[in-house]
Structures are given as structure tokens and as C-alpha cells.
């Protein structure tokens, strides 16, 4: 995305601090966008149909439905409060007129069904207009009930509740390409669920040691392969990826492939292990590559090459000298997500100061953009930003010392086929649309 790119942006503010946006996810067509927040609420946006009368309002996303997905709970056995914050949302492939999605907090996964009603039945034989039963002695003739038009009503109903499957906090859910099963991962275990069965799940990965003092790493993210229902990957806090094949054994503790990059001894420091922890892993749409994010970089891995990534992109290398202060204010533990565009040619991830980064894999060009109030006007142009470490500063450069670490973009999503991106910046949701170029660059 360059300086000549015309953008569209819709800003949706969540009123209170505990309603920070914690998840954004497009459905498979990109017509719906779901967001989760810290207050356990899910807001679904729908893309408006294009209008010839208002060409600049084409593709605008407006609120479609809002519902409370999770409530705060209390685990009395462990004297632990379970917060309502939405950790992940995943859409299920659409099978009929209704839409379905999975949402999860730290412990409980729920399956929701979203349906539309724009007609209501009238002319019942045994009920009056208020729905009360008539006196049967007054029914002297039979009539055929008819459907009358009504204002559109969106109904959201809970279809399944998958509880008691995790001892630790759920960090990932992923729907399988067989459209019948999904997996959920916490710090030490990954479970496989059938979408129709709530009272049991199969444990497919368990890395919990017999003695917790021997614990050296935890699971940070996991995802099913987009085409092969037997393959999945999970990442660890040690920076490694493990590809597992469920055909090999019921318990996938022994991985099929291990992807790990040898550490450069010259960069070894006290913070090396923390910043190498993988916070997100995403298969490419083609299924050939995997995208991972650690604290300072995004990496592209080829499934056929385990020894090192085929591409490494520096997200904010200027923070390497600031790791000590970032450790003291806990920012070094922030978990940034990453996303592919529809053709797997551009990747996106967030940073601090409400900046987000894009990397073009073909041209090797990269850009830093900002999600801000200034860029929130319709048809505003997103101008590239630059962070300077020292020496001479250009006019619009920002100094690394003046970055705001409380403004962080952890959650991003890319429309499956078009150049539309959703950016969660604390309690704001920004939607940018490229109206000029067919490909972001």
C-alpha cells in the first residue's frame, strides 16, 4: 500500500477500557467480519452492497449483530476468576442460509448460529394475533397461514457449549477442512472436538511433564492445514514449529517435522528466549507455507524445509536496544498476530504506536502505516511512516524514544479475496480498503 493508495476506513469505538478489541476475523466470503472484546461481547459487521448512487460508500461495513458471548465466571475449586475476554473467533464454512462461528474465552468454547428473519407467519387457526390459544368452539373454518414481510431481524442462538476441556488457558481454535471437527489448544495440550459432540474431546498433543518443575516450553498457537485434514501445526515458546500427522498415531506427541532456526551466537542475550517465542502461526491459503510472528520478526517457512525460514522480515528491529525497558514494562510479552493476503503475496502484522507493517514477498518492499484518528476520514490516504533511531530526522519521521507502547496493534485480519484489512487498535476497529491498486504494495 503506497502513498497513492486511496483508502476507506470505518471506525467503531468500544466504549469502555475493558471492551478493548481482542479478536478480528473475516468469514470465508469476507462479507461478514466478527470482532471479540475484553467484555465477552461479539460484534458482527456486514458489508453493504455496492451502490451506483454512492460510489464512495461501496463495501462499507456496518454493525449487523451484537451479542454477549461469554460472562465472567469463578472456578471455586481453584479460587480463580475466569474472565469473559474473547480470545479467538473462527467462522465455520457456510452450509446453508445460516452462518456459524466458534468463540472462546480462557476455558469455554461456544458454537453460535446466526440467522435472518424478514417474514412472519400470520393467520393461524388455533392462535390469535397475540399468540394465545383460541377457544376451539369459536373455530368454524380453516385457513392457510401466510408469510407476511417484516423488518429484518438477526437472531443469534447458542448451538453448542464445549466446556471442561482445558485446564490451562485456551490460546487457539482451528476448524478442520473436513468441516466436522476442530481443535483447541492451551499452554500444554491440544484437544480434537467433533462439532456435534460437547461432552468429550480427544487429546491429540500433551506436552505436560510428569514434574512441572521440568517444564521448559509451552504451546503458543496451533492451526489445521487448509487442505489436508490430517495435518496441523503448533508453535512453542522456544521458537519452534511442529507439524503433526494424525494418521501416524492417536496421540501426536511425536511430530512429523520440526521447524527450528539455529540461534545466531552474536545476538545471544538475556532476552533471546523471550523474543524468540512464536506468538502466532498461519498456514498460507495455498498450504505450501507457514507464517510465524515472534517479538521482532515475521518469518515464512516452506513446509518442505525444516532447517530455516525461506524469508525473514524485521518488524521493528529498532526496539532491539530497548528490550530492557520493554521487559520492565511487560511489553516484551505482547503477543502480535500476523496475516496473509488472499494471494499469499503480502503479509501483515502489527507493531507499537498504532503502527502496522506490510511486506510484499515478490518485490521485497515493505511499508509502515498508522491506524489513527487522522486517517479515519473517508477516502483518506494512508501515508507511510518511518521510525528513526538517531541522527538526522526527516520532516514526518518519529523518534524511537517517542513511540507510545500503550498503543499496540496485536490483532489484524485480511479479507480472503480483496484488499480490505481490519485492524484492532485498543478500543477501536479500523477497516481500510485499497480503492486504487489491485494489489497492495
Amino acid at each position: 500500500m503506497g502513498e497513492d493508495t486511496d483508502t476507506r476506513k470505518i471506525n467503531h469505538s468500544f466504549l469502555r477500557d475493558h471492551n478493548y478489541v481482542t479478536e478480528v476475523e473475516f468469514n470465508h466470503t469476507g462479507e461478514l467480519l466478527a470482532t471479540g472484546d475484553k467484555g465477552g461481547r461479539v460484534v458482527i459487521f456486514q458489508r453493504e452492497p455496492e451502490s451506483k448512487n454512492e460510489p464512495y460508500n461501496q463495501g462499507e461495513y456496518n454493525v449487523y449483530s451484537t451479542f454477549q458471548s461469554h460472562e465472567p465466571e469463578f472456578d471455586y475449586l481453584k479460587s480463580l476468576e475466569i474472565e469473559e475476554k474473547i480470545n479467538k473467533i473462527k467462522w465455520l464454512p457456510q452450509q446453508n442460509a445460516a452462518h456459524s462461528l466458534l468463540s472462546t474465552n480462557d476455558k469455554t468454547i461456544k458454537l453460535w448460529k446466526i440467522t435472518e428473519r424478514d417474514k412472519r407467519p400470520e393467520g393461524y387457526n388455533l392462535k390469535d394475533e397475540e399468540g394465545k390459544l383460541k377457544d376451539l368452539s369459536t373455530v368454524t373454518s380453516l385457513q392457510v397461514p401466510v408469510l407476511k414481510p417484516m423488518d429484518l431481524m438477526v437472531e443469534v442462538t447458542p448451538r453448542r457449549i464445549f466446556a471442561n476441556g482445558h485446564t490451562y488457558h485456551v490460546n487457539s481454535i482451528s476448524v478442520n477442512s473436513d468441516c466436522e471437527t476442530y481443535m483447541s489448544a492451551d499452554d500444554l495440550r491440544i484437544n480434537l472436538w467433533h462439532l456435534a459432540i460437547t461432552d468429550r474431546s480427544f487429546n491429540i498433543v500433551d506436552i505436560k511433564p510428569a514434574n512441572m518443575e521440568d517444564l521448559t516450553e509451552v504451546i503458543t498457537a496451533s492451526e489445521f492445514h487448509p487442505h489436508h485434514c490430517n495435518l496441523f501445526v503448533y508453535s512453542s515458546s522456544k521458537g519452534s514449529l511442529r507439524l503433526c500427522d494424525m494418521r501416524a498415531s492417536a496421540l501426536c506427541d511425536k511430530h512429523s517435522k520440526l521447524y527450528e532456526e539455529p540461534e545466531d551466537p552474536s545476538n545471544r542475550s538475556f532476552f533471546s528466549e523471550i523474543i524468540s517465542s512464536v506468538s502466532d502461526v498461519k498456514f498460507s491459503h495455498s498450504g505450501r507455507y507457514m507464517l510465524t510472528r515472534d517479538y521482532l520478526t515475521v518469518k515464512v517457512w516452506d513446509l518442505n524445509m525444516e532447517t530455516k525460514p525461506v524469508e525473514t522480515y524485521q518488524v521493528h528491529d529498532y526496539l532491539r536496544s530497548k528490550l530492557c525497558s520493554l521487559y520492565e514494562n511487560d511489553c516484551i510479552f505482547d503477543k502480535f498476530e500476523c496475516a496473509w493476503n488472499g494471494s499469499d503475496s503480502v503479509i501483515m502484522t502489527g507493531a507499537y504506536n498504532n503502527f502496522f507493517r506490510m511486506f510484499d514477498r515478490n518485490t521485497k518492499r515493505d511499508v509502515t502505516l498508522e491506524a489513527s484518528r487522522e486517517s479515519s476520514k473517508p477516502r483518506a490516504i494512508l501515508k507511510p511512516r518511518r521510525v528513526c533511531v538517531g541522527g538526522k530526522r526527516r520532516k514526518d519521521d518519529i523518534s524511537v524514544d517517542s513511540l507510545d507502547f500503550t498503543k499496540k496493534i496485536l490483532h489484524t485480519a485480511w479479507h480472503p479475496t480483496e484488499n480490505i484489512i481490519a485492524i484492532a487498535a485498543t478500543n477501536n476497529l479500523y477497516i481500510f480498503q485499497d480503492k486504487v491498486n489491485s494489489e497492495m504494495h
Side-chain angles (χ1 to χ4, degrees), residues 195-247:
L195 284 161
I197 302 169
T198 60
D199 60 353
R200 64 185 179 275
S201 63
F202 294 98
N203 180 225
I204 53 175
V205 172
D206 188 347
I207 65 166
K208 184 183 178 186
N211 183 355
M212 284 295 277
E213 289 180 4
D214 298 331
L215 183 68
T216 58
E217 64 180 332
V218 295
I219 298 166
T220 55
S222 67
E223 188 174 61
F224 269 120
H225 191 279
H227 310 305
H228 301 300
C229 61
N230 52 290
L231 294 178
F232 68 92
V233 68
Y234 70 91
S235 58
S236 88
S237 56
K238 278 194 167 179
S240 60
L241 301 173
R242 289 174 174 85
L243 187 71
C244 300
D245 190 337
M246 291 191 291
R247 295 172 301 186

Side-chain angles (χ1 to χ4, degrees), residues 111-157:
L111 173 62
W112 298 90
K113 183 180 179 183
I114 301 108
T115 53
E116 287 184 357
R117 275 178 57 193
D118 60 356
K119 293 181 175 65
R120 68 169 183 268
E122 283 187 7
Y124 286 111
N125 291 293
L126 303 179
K127 293 179 182 177
D128 61 19
E129 291 178 0
E130 295 177 357
K132 295 177 182 176
L133 284 173
K134 294 180 181 176
D135 182 357
L136 296 183
S137 61
T138 63
V139 180
T140 55
S141 62
L142 293 177
Q143 59 181 343
V144 179
V146 293
L147 289 173
K148 293 283 183 73
M150 59 176 275
D151 291 337
L152 179 68
M153 189 164 74
V154 180
E155 292 182 333
V156 181
T157 50

